[in-house]
Amino acid sequence: MSKKIIPPFIKKFISIIILFVSLFFFLEIASCLILPDSKLDKLEGILKVLEENSLLFWRQRPNLNVKFQGVNVVTNSLGFRNKEINLKKDKHIYRIICLGASPTFGWGVNFDKTYPFLLEERLRNTILPRKIEVINAGQIGYTTYQGTILLEKYLMFS
C-alpha cells in the first residue's frame, strides 16, 4: 500500500488559510469585547425603524416618529420618509419616485436635507411650472432587487 505525500505548497496553502481564519476569529472576538454596546445600540436603533416584510425581507415601519442616527425620522402610512401620498394621482401632478438605499432614505440627516426633498424644492423653484411631487422611497439597506419589487408592488399608483 502506497503512502500519499502532500506536496509542500498545499501544506503552506492550508497553513495560510488556517492563519487567516484564526486572525479573523480573533479580530471578531476582540471587537465584541472592546465595542459590545455600540454594535447592539446600532442594531437596536435599526430595528426601531424596520419591520419584517415577507416579500421584501424588511421595510421601514409606517407612521414612525423616532430618533434615529441623531435625527428625528418620521414616516408616512406607507413607511416612506415623506409626507402622506395620495394614491390617486392628480393628472396635473408630475411625480418622481426616488428609489435607493440609505443615502436616498437620508441616513443621519434631517428630512429637509435628503436629496429627494432638495430635488423637489429645486424643481418647484426653478424649472417646472407644473406641480411637482418627489417621493422618497429610499429604504435602509435595499438592493436593486428589493427596489424593483417595492416599485412594482407598492409604488405603481393609478
Side-chain angles (χ1 to χ4, degrees):
M1 203 150 136
S2 68
K3 187 176 174 184
K4 290 188 179 183
I5 299 174
I6 300 174
F9 72 92
I10 297 287
K11 287 181 182 180
K12 286 180 182 177
F13 179 73
I14 292 171
S15 297
I16 291 171
I17 295 294
I18 290 171
L19 177 68
F20 276 111
V21 169
S22 300
L23 179 64
F24 287 127
F25 180 73
F26 173 74
L27 290 173
E28 180 64 24
I29 289 174
S31 68
C32 288
L33 292 174
I34 295 168
L35 304 169
D37 295 334
S38 65
K39 284 184 179 181
L40 290 176
D41 290 346
K42 190 180 235 183
L43 179 61
E44 287 174 6
I46 292 171
L47 292 176
K48 274 195 245 180
V49 176
L50 301 178
E51 68 181 6
E52 189 176 332
N53 182 284
S54 60
L55 188 60
L56 297 164
F57 308 113
W58 67 87
R59 281 191 67 188
Q60 265 102 233
R61 294 179 187 275
N63 305 312
L64 270 179
N65 189 351
V66 298
K67 196 80 156 169
F68 177 69
Q69 294 298 306
V71 298
N72 194 41
V73 171
V74 176
T75 60
N76 63 19
S77 61
L78 296 172
F80 298 133
R81 198 171 179 196
N82 214 88
K83 61 187 179 294
E84 271 310 312
I85 301 165
N86 186 354
L87 299 180
K88 181 88 170 136
K89 184 180 87 61
D90 183 307
K91 65 180 178 178
H92 301 291
I93 294 176
Y94 186 73
R95 273 192 178 155
I96 298 169
I97 299 172
C98 294
L99 290 172
S102 301
T104 304
F105 166 79
W107 183 285
V109 298
N110 289 317
F111 175 70
D112 63 346
K113 300 293 183 213
T114 63
Y115 86 78
F117 179 89
L118 296 172
L119 175 64
E120 181 175 304
E121 190 174 70
R122 173 91 32 109
L123 290 174
R124 280 187 179 172
N125 293 333
T126 58
I127 309 171
L128 302 170
R130 288 177 82 173
K131 182 165 170 49
I132 298 292
E133 187 176 63
V134 177
I135 297 172
N136 182 349
Q139 299 284 310
I140 296 171
Y142 264 27
T143 63
T144 52
Y145 169 78
Q146 289 165 301
T148 302
I149 292 174
L150 180 76
L151 179 65
E152 291 172 351
K153 301 291 183 187
Y154 297 99
L155 293 166
M156 299 308 278
F157 305 120
S158 57

